[in-house]
Amino acid sequence: MSQLHEKIASGALARMGLLDEDAIAAAAALVERVSGSDVETVRVLFADQHGILRGKTLVASALSSIFTSGVAMPSTLLLKDTSHKTVFPVWSDAPDIPGGMTGAGDMLLLPDPATYRELPWSSNSAWIFCDPHGKDGATLDFSPRDLLKRAIARLAEHNIALVVGLEVEFQIYAQVAQKLDHGDATMPGQPPQTRNLTQGYQFLTEQLYDLVEPVLDDLRRQCQALGLPVRSMEIEMGPSQFEFTFDPADPLTHADNMMMFRAMVKETCARRGLHATFMCKPNLANAAASGWHLHQSLVDMTTGENLLVPPAAGTITDTASGWIAGLLEHARASCLLTTPTVNGYKRYRPHQLAPDRIQWGRDNRGAMIRALMAPGDPASRIENRVAETTANPYYFFASQILSGLDGLNRDLRAPDPVETPYDGPATQLPESLLSAIQHFENSSFYREVLGDAFVDYLAFIRRAEWDRYHLTISEWEQAEYFGIY
């Protein structure tokens, strides 16, 4: 063990200052543990800008090398849109290339031993998550985990910690055809053909749960084996739509958990011949939109006191008021972080248990922010219902911390709560991804707290997706014009 410790301590990562003594000890302990296990391969992964896991698979005997030298990975993985196309001109000297990534050179992955998980659905294989750095070890402005860590640290300067709970909706379908013909290998690949596992619009129906219990049991057991704090498995509103909820945890832990959950669900279902999707609103007959509801409470780091517990019925604390006000003020600009796809904006419709405007209400599922706060209730919290389940969890959580903290720092006050969330003059949420890009680009707040480099980087990628979308000839155009003209 001491020899292994010395090897890691003298490696390139430690020399760059990327591993402190605790990290070196944790790395050595993990390598020793894996060497004595049945694990044969380790998938060395990182969350990219879209919340998609990417990486390489190493044989277990090579694990120590990732803690001595790191793992080299093409930097273009951080420059792609959701079609997997590199959208920045890496072969030119254009000034738009972030982080000196011209020439499609390498970046360096820094592994986090705390994220190591052996995979219950894939015998003899494991995961470990990493943070991307520059080749010189420098932190990248747009590294998702590091961006969230910086936001958490900002909040901690005020002796406050955020605690989050997750409600995640998604769909699982039976695969009719996988679309593996050569002509289907486009960018992005052609989607599979599917059919429902259950008929829909039978919300929380026992009979439907029993019908799909074998599938949901499988997913629940995988969650538990991975150490994810799963709390409930539910039949959601739409056909083949389900919801898993998770007990509260700190933001970084739950961001990692969300990455693990989405990947686990898709991989486990694929092995069953099923197709799981977290796409917000699939273009399938009668399909319902899926949302991601984020429960949030604020805790005094010294006393453990929940700062959102109101002193009396019908009131809210100054902390709750400021936090809600900050989330509302920056909601439109935050949508690029909470709702990052073209498809996600199809969910913002009235009377669909989703918000369409920026306001809050008390236990009101139509409002963007649902307040669940009562005197003496230690679980007092707010629930932000704005996000889609495709969101990069690190960016999403950072947006909540930074927006809420701005409300606290500026002593903002929340407006009155609403009872009729689909009526009245409240500001509308962005109606399209393009609108969200523009609000994000023009946000002096996000340029201050995240930096121009990050704002311009993310807006550039999302605009590339929007351009591909609106330049594509749609079925509506074909039906509207092809016959009449």
Side-chain angles (χ1 to χ4, degrees):
M1 186 67 139
S2 59
Q3 185 177 7
L4 181 57
H5 186 284
E6 178 57 32
K7 178 182 177 181
I8 296 172
S10 61
L13 296 185
R15 292 198 306 272
M16 290 179 186
L18 298 177
L19 297 177
D20 59 19
E21 185 56 39
D22 289 343
I24 292 169
L30 177 60
V31 173
E32 186 75 12
R33 169 185 159 194
V34 172
S35 67
S37 73
D38 294 329
V39 171
E40 298 175 2
T41 58
V42 180
R43 306 177 193 181
V44 183
L45 307 171
F46 74 98
D48 77 357
Q49 58 278 12
H50 308 293
I52 296 170
L53 287 175
R54 300 182 186 268
K56 300 178 179 180
T57 299
L58 275 61
V59 296
S61 60
L63 183 62
S64 63
S65 68
I66 74 172
F67 294 108
T68 56
S69 305
V71 179
M73 205 78 69
S75 60
T76 51
L77 294 174
L78 290 174
L79 306 178
K80 296 182 182 295
D81 67 5
T82 48
S83 74
H84 304 276
K85 177 183 177 182
T86 300
V87 296
F88 287 89
V90 295
W91 306 114
S92 75
D93 58 358
D96 293 328
I97 311 301
M101 293 181 176
T102 54
D106 281 341
M107 60 184 176
L108 188 66
L109 297 189
L110 174 66
D112 182 351
T115 64
Y116 176 84
R117 298 289 191 281
E118 295 180 12
L119 305 185
W121 66 92
S122 178
S123 60
N124 309 115
S125 190
W127 277 338
I128 190 168
F129 288 2
C130 303
D131 296 322
H133 286 251
K135 287 188 293 187
D136 59 357
T139 300
L140 300 176
D141 291 331
F142 33 85
S143 168
R145 291 184 88 239
D146 283 322
L147 186 143
L148 177 56
K149 290 175 190 176
R150 291 193 293 272
I152 293 170
R154 281 184 182 232
L155 187 60
E157 291 174 1
H158 298 263
N159 199 42
I160 297 174
L162 176 66
V163 178
V164 295
L166 311 183
E167 292 183 9
V168 184
E169 298 172 352
F170 58 101
Q171 279 115 340
I172 303 174
Y173 300 107
Q175 285 200 42
V176 176
Q178 290 182 292
K179 292 292 191 76
L180 293 177
D181 290 342
H182 297 299
D184 297 325
T186 52
M187 290 183 69
Q190 296 300 299
Q193 292 180 353
T194 60
R195 63 181 180 85
N196 292 326
L197 294 185
T198 66
Q199 291 187 342
Y201 305 100
Q202 300 179 49
F203 182 47
L204 296 180
T205 304
E206 161 63 13
Q207 184 177 351
L208 287 193
Y209 183 86
D210 188 71
L211 180 66
V212 293
E213 186 177 43
V215 176
L216 299 185
D217 270 354
D218 199 4
L219 298 180
R220 185 255 308 162
R221 292 186 185 108
Q222 311 291 25
C223 284
Q224 292 169 327
L226 289 172
L228 308 186
V230 61
R231 181 181 182 89
S232 70
M233 300 71 60
E234 303 171 11
I235 298 293
E236 254 302 329
M237 184 69 70
S240 247
Q241 188 180 39
F242 311 99
E243 180 180 81
F244 273 47
T245 71
F246 297 86
D247 285 332
D250 67 273
L252 185 60
T253 294
H254 256 337
D256 289 342
N257 288 345
M258 184 63 172
M259 293 299 305
M260 294 183 189
F261 178 68
R262 287 195 304 216
M264 177 276 290
V265 169
K266 292 186 74 68
E267 293 176 17
T268 299
C269 287
R271 288 175 179 242
R272 280 179 164 264
L274 305 173
H275 178 70
T277 182
F278 292 83
M279 178 182 178
C280 182
K281 189 171 176 58
N283 186 21
L284 301 170
N286 302 311
S290 292
W292 180 2
H293 308 149
L294 186 68
H295 294 253
Q296 308 176 32
S297 58
L298 297 171
V299 175
D300 184 297
M301 296 177 67
T302 301
T303 66
E305 175 191 3
N306 183 344
L307 301 175
L308 302 190
V309 178
T315 68
I316 60 174
T317 66
D318 290 342
T319 299
S321 183
W323 192 265
I324 291 170
L327 295 181
L328 296 177
E329 175 155 321
H330 301 297
R332 287 192 296 176
S334 297
C335 272
L336 201 64
L337 305 173
T338 67
T339 313
T341 72
V342 168
N343 183 253
Y345 294 86
K346 312 293 173 69
R347 173 174 165 261
Y348 294 159
R349 297 291 181 268
H351 312 294
Q352 300 294 317
L353 292 175
D356 72 337
R357 59 199 75 192
I358 300 169
Q359 51 197 350
W360 75 283
R362 299 182 188 277
D363 198 7
N364 192 313
R365 284 183 167 85
M368 189 188 96
I369 294 177
R370 175 188 176 212
L372 298 166
M373 301 179 291
D377 181 4
S380 290
R381 62 201 185 277
I382 63 167
E383 175 193 26
N384 195 337
R385 300 172 62 84
V386 75
E388 62 171 317
T389 51
T390 68
N392 182 317
Y394 307 99
Y395 292 168
F396 175 23
F397 295 176
S399 77
Q400 303 302 280
I401 293 171
L402 296 171
S403 297
L405 181 58
D406 186 57
L408 298 182
N409 287 339
R410 293 166 53 203
D411 294 321
L412 298 182
R413 303 294 301 177
D416 291 337
V418 299
E419 295 297 333
T420 54
Y422 300 118
D423 298 321
T427 301
Q428 297 279 327
L429 287 162
E431 63 180 14
S432 69
L433 179 62
L434 178 61
S435 177
I437 292 168
Q438 293 167 339
H439 285 300
F440 186 66
E441 281 182 316
N442 295 328
S443 170
S444 58
F445 166 71
Y446 274 122
R447 289 192 175 276
E448 177 184 352
V449 297
L450 294 179
D452 289 335
F454 177 81
V455 171
D456 293 339
Y457 159 80
L458 194 61
F460 189 99
I461 288 177
R462 296 304 181 197
R463 194 177 293 275
E465 293 172 24
W466 174 261
D467 287 344
R468 282 194 299 110
Y469 167 70
H470 84 83
L471 292 175
T472 299
I473 307 301
S474 68
E475 293 179 8
W476 184 92
E477 292 169 273
Q478 188 75 358
E480 188 78 5
Y481 306 125
F482 192 61
I484 194 173
Y485 289 114

